[in-house]
Amino acid sequence: MERNGGHYTDKTRVLDIKPLRTLRPVFPSGNQAPPFVCAPPFGPFPPGFSSFYPFSSSQANQHTPDLNQAQYPPQHQQPQNPPPVYQQQPPQHASEPSLVTPLRSFRSPDVSNGNAELEGSTVKRRIPKKRPIARPENMNFESGINVADRENGNRELVLSVLMRFDALRRRFAQLEDAKEAVSGIIKRPDLKSGSTCMGRGVRTNTKKRPGIVPGVEIGDVFFFRFEMCLVGLHSPSMAGIDYLVVKGETEEEPIATSIVSSGYYDNDEGNPDVLIYTGQGGNADKDKQSSDQKLERGNLALEKSLRRDSAVRVIRGLKEASHNAKIYIYDGLYEIKESWVEKGKSGHNTFKYKLVRAPGQPPAFASWTAIQKWKTGVPSRQGLILPDMTSGVESIPVSLVNEVDTDNGPAYFTYSTTVKYSESFKLMQPSFGCDCANLCKPGNLDCHCIRKNGGDFPYTGNGILVSRKPMIYECSPSCPCSTCKNKVTQMGVKVRLEVFKTANRGWGLRSWDAIRAGSFICIYVGEAKDKSKVQQTMANDDYTFDTTNVYNPFKWNYEPGLADEDACEEMSEESEIPLPLIISAKNVGNVARFMNHSCSPNVFWQPVSYENNSQLFVHVAFFAISHIPPMTELTYDYGVSRPSGTQNGNPLYGKRKCFCGSAYCRGSFG
DNA sequence: GGAGTATCACGACG
DNA sequence: CCGTCGTGATACTC
């Protein structure tokens, strides 16, 4: 999938489906350019949001090239002002205890939160302390985004704004689920987070413009209207047509900048490059009958854009049947070809606009439509080796695909969905379940499982992880809560994955479905061992997960200062695992063994413990860092192995050369 | 019991 | 400062 200079014009070949966001940037200089896997949510970060990776100031001035918009129209200038680095970190060294001390079990357990029953157990855990945020600090909350960057964004800023919005949204959703909200209920966490970000300046591209929006790429996916609002792709929080008033020849007139197709009426059988769009207005309301649409506002703007041959951005709203979620895909620029009036369902006049996608843009919506066809099996996925490499072990099939060479599959291994614990692995302890009937109610502090999580329910109602934590405690089969939502990582893979052959990094993993930030992807399955009891050589194998590696810290959780709630707390995002765990997936494993390393990953791992055969085990669970467009390779940070002995403060280098191609690539890993 | 439908509460921008 | 634009989650129906 990393063939350089792929053709974007031949829409008839299902074969040529690219990820919605191209993997490889088109650099003018040709093929020495590194592949670009997924732009990281690196800086600029506000105070409290550390940059994803340590980088020097010279690196900090680099910009991720605006990828797949480079060809059409001619790319705008890169932003003149590099985004500021708010919290520049020195390179992390092995000598830093926070990084090289995987075992925190010596820390005295905090029994102040009613966790006394855990004392003396093998797994000692620290319950994050509630730390109310001082008011004055809240009042002075700074988004850290300066005026220029707020007007004209860039890729890093766009990703950072989206991350911060969603972190806050998840937190509001969690508070709402628990009915803990300080000031009333939060029925719409997306609106609450969105308006908070708006008000606090966590936004970019506020200067409204037609055409390209700096930092937003064709194929980017969104799950909320507000996300498009915050990054300047489409500013109305509800309306489908965004427009700008410009000076015309005689008077001011509106021209359209972007439209969001709801996906319900705007269907055009067959050709994904054509959109028949319905104008706005005229719908029945609670105190209004439906009526004829008028040629004003957005409708007028589209009409004027048609006259001026002014292209508009199109965002396709889609209903993803698989996980019952509506998503929005930015599908690039379209030209308005014609308009007419038509009787709508209610019998009133509606405006119709025919839009045709500008040529030369990477596919986005077209890829999505092709994927929907693969799901039906006709035509079958091109390059398909196996329709389900799990042989039905996973509830959703995992395709095995090779479109780059003649390799017909990875070396033999046994596919399993459960971790195998070796005899020597003595993390076993009696498990304390809860006694909630049917389901554990968020906010119910009588539930042992919720108390183990520091009082918070770790997931939102639809199974999205709210915050990274040293450890997540899930309910277990022995808990009576049969329908409980606190079992997310035990329910198996929920997205439609495929294992595919990469150009230069062996086999990789990606998804046919768009993945929401915080979604569970899979656990790392393999033979788990206590690292202190195995020879060093085992850790050097491919297909091994090692919790004792040194991992770059990054901030994913909400900012308490932004949330501005007394109930918000600062908590550690560093994993805290009671034993040095190493999992070998060489002989037995699941899809996780195919996930490649990246220095700018889109997936992170999180320790999760739950019971298995009446004993508590630690699992490594993977979650999406940000929204991941379909067909984008899934990658996580493998970290760097920590050789025995002291490091004397020298930086660590991985044993394997990195081909992740990120602008912030560290060169090696593992 | 999964797909359609009702209901509810909300924000930006012109 | 008020009207215009639907949305997203959930409870409900069939």
Side-chain angles (χ1 to χ4, degrees):
Chain A
M1 224 38 177
E2 297 196 11
R3 288 161 301 172
N4 203 6
H7 303 282
Y8 295 125
T9 44
D10 187 354
K11 303 297 192 301
T12 58
R13 293 173 65 218
V14 176
L15 206 172
D16 207 22
I17 293 311
K18 298 288 189 298
L20 292 189
R21 214 162 49 205
T22 346
L23 289 179
R24 184 183 282 272
V26 183
F27 287 105
S29 46
N31 63 3
Q32 78 274 27
F36 180 85
V37 173
C38 174
F42 37 55
F45 287 83
F49 252 58
S50 61
S51 63
F52 208 170
Y53 292 105
F55 39 77
S56 70
S57 51
S58 66
Q59 283 172 317
N61 289 342
Q62 291 175 356
H63 279 267
T64 313
D66 252 16
L67 303 183
N68 40 23
Q69 299 188 344
Q71 299 130 314
Y72 179 90
Q75 181 56 42
H76 291 212
Q77 288 292 312
Q78 289 295 324
Q80 300 295 315
N81 303 318
V85 177
Y86 294 94
Q87 196 169 331
Q88 206 159 296
Q89 297 182 334
Q92 301 290 355
H93 292 286
S95 59
E96 286 188 41
S98 63
L99 285 175
V100 298
T101 312
L103 301 185
R104 302 292 187 74
S105 50
F106 51 79
R107 192 178 288 173
S108 61
D110 184 342
V111 294
S112 62
N113 286 348
N115 287 277
E117 82 275 14
L118 298 172
E119 203 176 6
S121 68
T122 324
V123 182
K124 304 241 169 88
R125 46 189 84 90
R126 187 174 56 89
I127 303 300
K129 281 187 181 133
K130 298 266 180 190
R131 233 187 293 170
I133 305 306
R135 280 287 155 189
E137 195 184 317
N138 287 348
M139 300 313 231
N140 297 330
F141 179 86
E142 284 294 332
S143 72
I145 302 171
N146 66 40
V147 175
D149 285 342
R150 214 173 294 177
E151 271 192 16
N152 300 291
N154 57 65
R155 185 61 175 166
E156 293 144 40
L157 201 42
V158 163
L159 295 174
S160 158
V161 165
L162 293 175
M163 288 256 296
R164 295 167 71 181
F165 161 81
D166 202 59
L168 188 58
R169 186 196 62 79
R170 295 190 306 267
R171 173 58 172 172
F172 283 139
Q174 182 181 53
L175 290 170
E176 162 65 11
D177 288 346
K179 294 283 188 285
E180 275 180 4
V182 174
S183 49
I185 53 172
I186 309 164
K187 273 274 166 62
R188 292 287 302 269
D190 57 319
L191 299 186
K192 173 95 173 166
S193 175
S195 64
T196 305
C197 290
M198 279 279 181
R200 300 300 190 93
V202 180
R203 59 185 299 192
T204 185
N205 291 316
T206 55
K207 199 182 104 189
K208 199 179 270 195
R209 74 202 79 203
I212 284 173
V213 175
V216 180
E217 294 172 4
I218 293 169
D220 279 351
V221 290
F222 303 90
F223 285 78
F224 299 93
R225 290 288 302 258
F226 243 116
E227 294 177 324
M228 298 183 280
C229 194
L230 291 171
V231 300
L233 183 63
H234 184 84
S235 54
S237 57
M238 297 171 86
I241 307 168
D242 195 7
Y243 60 94
L244 182 65
V245 176
V246 298
K247 270 254 182 293
E249 280 170 18
T250 52
E251 53 186 356
E252 292 195 330
E253 62 182 33
I255 58 161
T257 55
S258 56
I259 60 170
V260 178
S261 99
S262 71
Y264 294 123
Y265 332 96
D266 325 308
N267 258 333
D268 39 64
E269 288 309 310
N271 192 349
D273 286 349
V274 176
L275 171 66
I276 307 298
Y277 189 75
T278 306
Q280 64 187 187
N283 291 325
D285 208 311
K286 58 176 181 295
D287 43 27
K288 199 178 68 184
Q289 290 285 328
S290 59
S291 57
D292 286 348
Q293 292 186 341
K294 297 188 187 72
L295 191 57
E296 58 185 23
R297 306 175 215 281
N299 300 341
L300 181 61
L302 284 171
E303 197 63 40
K304 296 288 183 186
S305 288
L306 165 61
R307 303 264 176 270
R308 286 169 168 255
D309 289 322
S310 174
V312 296
R313 298 186 291 272
V314 167
I315 298 110
R316 298 273 196 161
L318 311 165
K319 186 106 170 149
E320 191 118 77
S322 47
H323 41 101
N324 201 26
K326 187 164 182 186
I327 65 170
Y328 299 94
I329 295 184
Y330 174 46
D331 200 34
L333 301 181
Y334 280 61
E335 278 145 16
I336 309 172
K337 296 297 186 191
E338 53 183 298
S339 67
W340 64 95
V341 176
E342 209 176 282
K343 291 273 183 231
K345 274 183 192 151
S346 63
H348 292 96
N349 288 338
T350 57
F351 290 97
K352 293 282 180 177
Y353 302 88
K354 181 183 181 186
L355 292 96
V356 177
R357 194 163 193 254
Q361 302 179 96
F365 176 63
S367 299
W368 185 86
T369 55
I371 291 166
Q372 306 316 302
K373 286 178 189 150
W374 299 345
K375 287 183 175 176
T376 68
V378 241
S380 70
R381 169 93 171 90
Q382 204 273 335
L384 193 68
I385 299 168
L386 268 179
D388 182 16
M389 68 182 299
T390 80
S391 309
V393 174
E394 297 282 4
S395 56
I396 297 176
V398 177
S399 313
L400 179 65
V401 176
N402 186 350
E403 292 178 287
V404 299
D405 57 31
T406 57
D407 190 351
N408 65 359
Y412 179 81
F413 74 103
T414 303
Y415 197 99
S416 172
T417 56
T418 52
V419 183
K420 245 176 86 180
Y421 292 90
S422 75
E423 283 301 313
S424 68
F425 195 81
K426 298 287 186 207
L427 181 52
M428 306 166 178
Q429 60 171 324
S431 99
F432 295 92
C434 60
D435 46 14
C436 305
N438 294 326
L439 80 168
C440 299
K441 220 174 160 299
N444 175 16
L445 292 176
D446 293 335
C447 168
H448 285 212
C449 297
I450 290 175
R451 286 225 307 266
K452 280 189 240 173
N453 286 305
D456 285 326
F457 202 83
Y459 305 104
T460 63
N462 49 9
I464 302 286
L465 184 70
V466 175
S467 299
R468 296 169 70 215
K469 286 188 172 188
M471 179 68 77
I472 299 282
Y473 299 90
E474 291 196 350
C475 289
S476 300
S478 69
C479 300
C481 50
S482 51
T483 57
C484 172
K485 297 270 179 64
N486 189 21
K487 297 175 182 174
V488 169
T489 70
Q490 302 166 54
M491 308 307 281
V493 174
K494 287 279 182 283
V495 284
R496 182 64 170 86
L497 298 171
E498 77 171 24
V499 171
F500 73 107
K501 188 72 187 284
T502 68
N504 59 354
R505 290 174 297 143
W507 297 91
L509 185 69
R510 62 188 173 194
S511 167
W512 290 9
D513 299 325
I515 302 176
R516 235 194 231 214
S519 294
F520 168 68
I521 295 168
C522 61
I523 60 167
Y524 199 98
V525 171
E527 297 170 275
K529 296 187 165 111
D530 178 346
K531 195 187 181 185
S532 61
K533 292 179 183 158
V534 297
Q535 304 95 317
Q536 188 65 39
T537 52
M538 182 183 167
N540 292 335
D541 287 343
D542 281 357
Y543 301 125
T544 296
F545 190 96
D546 189 339
T547 62
T548 68
N549 278 4
V550 178
Y551 295 94
N552 276 291
F554 72 100
K555 184 99 171 91
W556 188 71
N557 297 351
Y558 63 92
E559 301 154 89
L562 180 55
D564 198 15
E565 300 275 356
D566 287 331
C568 291
E569 64 198 60
E570 204 117 39
M571 73 177 74
S572 168
E573 298 194 29
E574 262 183 72
S575 341
E576 210 168 284
I577 297 181
L579 276 179
L581 180 63
I582 133 163
I583 309 173
S584 168
K586 195 171 185 179
N587 304 315
V588 178
N590 70 343
V591 285
R593 74 199 289 279
F594 295 107
M595 231 190 305
N596 283 314
H597 163 85
S598 173
C599 300
S600 303
N602 49 20
V603 171
F604 65 83
W605 66 277
Q606 158 75 55
V608 176
S609 66
Y610 55 84
E611 187 187 298
N612 195 347
N613 293 327
S614 303
Q615 292 186 295
L616 197 67
F617 291 101
V618 172
H619 299 79
V620 170
F622 293 97
F623 294 89
I625 289 176
S626 51
H627 303 329
I628 304 174
M631 303 305 280
T632 302
E633 183 170 6
L634 307 180
T635 55
Y636 68 98
D637 180 6
Y638 281 18
V640 174
S641 64
R642 192 170 52 96
S644 49
T646 59
Q647 285 297 299
N648 301 321
N650 293 320
L652 288 169
Y653 297 104
K655 297 181 286 285
R656 294 150 74 183
K657 184 167 162 48
C658 185
F659 294 98
C660 79
S662 148
Y664 296 88
C665 180
R666 306 190 295 270
S668 67
F669 66 92

